Structure formats: structure tokens, C-alpha cells
Amino acid sequence: MSTLPRHIVTVLGAVPATLAGLVDAHGHVWIAPEPGVEPGGPVLNDPTRSLSEVRAYGAAGGAALVDCQPGGAGRDGRMLAWLSRESAVPIVACTGFHRRRYHPAETGLWTRPEEALTQHFLEELDPTVGLAECRGDLRPVAAGYLKVAIEATLEASPVGALAAAAHAAAHTGAGVQIHTEQGARAEAVVDFFLKRGVAPDRLVVCHIDKRPDPGLHVALAQTGVTLEYDTFYRPKYDPERNLWPLIDHMVAAGLAGSVALACDMAESAQWAAYGGGPGLAAFPTQIPARLAARGIPLESIARMTGGNILRVLARPAPVS
């Protein structure tokens, strides 16, 4: 692990790695509709409603937000910077890519040479260059980490794009959030990144609680990766029978330092500002209290509800 000073790159600039508090590890605060994308995907593009949700999250104790919408799939760095500035909540944006269905059919992302795509990711991670849609702005808006996605199988996934993300992560020390389809092929994709020189403590395996196998989770955690759980408000995954006992198991196994909790509210029906719920504020107001009621130690709660994801987001500061 690098011994260089570390920082967290937010959409308003770098902040010290000492940032602490409640942080939803995997969220969405802005998703613009992309021309040429399959219909039916999530859209969150009302500035007033997004600002209302982010402000409510901050007022409830949220210390920062991690936005997981990559470029070409609805990201807007300017809107993320505006939301952060107006709400006073630090927001961390990502570079990378989502599943194919969330990108326009005519995108060149999947056929772009691996070296060129690596360079694109490196530029978006660079605070002096920043996100593609913000180039030319007086103040660049940069990504703080990479988000990638695999399909139901690794073989059906864009291997060249995954390799480019791995190269960028290995070069910069940036964290990588890996979208999995209900946890499928988690072991294979972790191995893919490790073999390409990405340190395990830089990897977050997302949505893995949809595959609630305690033995698998312990084995993955023991490799050094972080496991992201987010089905708290998704009844079809039966969180009372699956997610909550899984958290208990990981804490009892001494692996609270390997779990990052989130809500992944990408659908407008989950937002209070759209007349649904429970809203982004549910993370700071409900989840820590529920963990405490289960007898989970405060130190473990602090790690799972912020400390662990902030550790992944902290990366070496560039040498001037």
C-alpha cells in the first residue's frame, strides 16, 4: 500500500482523507436520460428534487455522498458540482462504465482501444483535467474513483474496458466499485482485477448481498476486498431474512471492516421528493439506529456506515 499522503477527490476538489461520518457507499443523485438508450432505465433529472433530497440527507447527518453514475450513462459533472455546492454535502463522482443497457447503442466504449480507454479514465481521475463533460470549465470536476459493471457472466462483459479500468486503478491507487448482477461471478471479477495489479483494498464488490451466502462473503472479505450491501429497502430480496442476518454474521466473524452499507436509490419511486420513499435521508436516520438495536458495537457501525468506503475513496495525492 502506498505511503504517500492521501486525499478524497470530490466534485468540488480534494479534501483530506480524514473526512469522517455517515456515508452512503453507493448512491445516485443525478441520472440524465441518454439518447439511444433502452427505455425503462432510471431517470433522476429534476434539479429541485435532487437538491431537496441531498439537503435532507445532509441535514440528517450524511457527511458525504458517493454518486455511482458514470459518463455516457446519465452522469452530469456540472449538476453534481452544483448539488454539492448548494447543499454543502461533499459528492464523489465516478469515471468508468455501467452495464451495456445503460449506454447508447452507438457508443464506442466497447470497441475503443484499451490504451485509449485507460487514458480516458486517467484523465477523468486527474483533478487538473476532469470529467469529459466539464472540459473547458474554469474549475475542473474530477472523478474520485472508478465504477465498472459486469454482466451476468464475465465472458459477456466488456473485458477490454475492465482491463482499462484495472490499469487506471493500479496506476492511480483509485478505488473501484464493481457492479455485479446479484453477486454473480464476484469471485472471477475480483481475481481479474487482482491479477492486473489492483490492490484488494481498492476493490468494492457491489450488490453482493443479493447473493447471501455467508461462506462466500467471509472468503471474499478475507482476500481484502470490501463488500457493499444495499437491499435494505428492496422487499423482493427479503432483507429481514437475508441482509440483516448477513450483517450479523460478518460482524460476529470480525469482518465489519470489510462491509460498506448503502441504499442504491436510483429509482425516483424511492425518493421522498418524488412522493415515494424512504428517501436518501433514510440512510443516516434509520440504518445506524437499527444496527445499534441489534447490539452491534459502535465502532463496527461507524466502519460499515462510512469509515470503510471513505478508506477506499482515499487515494494517494499526486506528487507535485
Side-chain angles (χ1 to χ4, degrees):
M1 185 184 299
S2 173
T3 57
L4 292 172
R6 304 177 81 82
H7 63 199
I8 295 169
V9 176
T10 80
V11 295
L12 297 183
V15 298
T18 51
L19 178 68
L22 296 165
V23 181
D24 187 322
H26 187 108
H28 300 270
V29 297
W30 186 266
I31 307 175
E34 289 279 355
V37 172
E38 294 180 23
V43 173
L44 298 168
N45 66 336
D46 184 312
T48 301
R49 287 172 167 152
S50 285
L51 181 56
S52 173
E53 286 284 333
V54 176
R55 279 178 169 163
Y57 173 87
L65 271 165
V66 182
D67 186 86
C68 291
Q69 208 66 24
R75 184 190 70 194
D76 186 330
R78 293 188 179 97
M79 284 305 307
L80 294 177
W82 178 80
L83 288 168
S84 182
R85 194 160 42 245
E86 293 298 313
S87 67
V89 174
I91 294 175
V92 184
C94 67
T95 187
F97 58 92
H98 210 326
R99 291 184 62 200
R100 284 187 174 92
R101 68 184 297 259
Y102 297 117
H103 290 269
E106 67 275 11
T107 182
L109 189 63
W110 320 123
T111 56
R112 201 167 176 180
E114 190 175 305
E115 296 80 6
L117 197 51
T118 300
Q119 184 61 30
H120 169 68
F121 295 152
L122 289 172
E123 289 174 351
E124 293 211 317
L125 288 163
D126 185 341
T128 68
V129 182
L131 305 183
E133 66 269 25
C134 301
R135 301 283 164 82
D137 290 1
L138 185 61
R139 179 179 294 180
V141 176
Y145 70 103
L146 296 114
K147 185 260 184 72
V148 301
I150 60 171
E151 304 291 341
T153 68
L154 192 58
E155 294 72 23
S157 305
V159 176
L162 287 169
H167 297 326
H171 182 77
T172 61
V176 185
Q177 290 215 30
I178 306 169
H179 167 98
T180 65
E181 281 296 284
Q182 300 182 25
R185 304 299 287 157
E187 309 95 309
V189 75
V190 166
D191 187 58
F192 181 96
F193 276 88
L194 296 181
K195 285 181 175 177
R196 284 160 178 80
V198 182
D201 70 334
R202 302 290 81 207
L203 299 176
V204 181
V205 184
C206 301
H207 320 309
I208 190 70
D209 53 320
K210 295 176 183 177
R211 188 180 166 192
D213 176 345
L216 168 69
H217 287 238
V218 168
L220 283 171
Q222 288 175 340
T223 70
V225 305
T226 299
L227 309 180
E228 184 262 316
Y229 300 167
D230 57 36
T231 57
F232 294 99
Y233 301 106
R234 297 174 185 267
K236 71 177 181 178
Y237 295 109
D238 200 352
E240 297 301 327
R241 293 184 58 187
N242 293 313
L243 171 56
W244 287 102
L246 184 59
I247 293 172
D248 292 339
H249 182 88
M250 296 298 281
V251 172
L255 294 170
S258 300
V259 176
L261 303 180
C263 289
D264 189 22
M265 292 185 188
E267 301 286 346
S268 60
Q270 297 173 308
W271 281 32
Y274 284 90
L280 299 184
F283 182 85
T285 58
Q286 297 180 17
I287 292 174
R290 180 81 186 270
L291 292 166
R294 296 177 82 85
I296 294 175
L298 292 179
E299 181 182 359
S300 295
I301 294 173
R303 288 182 176 182
M304 294 189 292
T305 59
N308 293 337
I309 193 62
L310 289 170
R311 183 190 68 234
V312 174
L313 293 172
R315 56 185 170 107
V319 177
S320 56

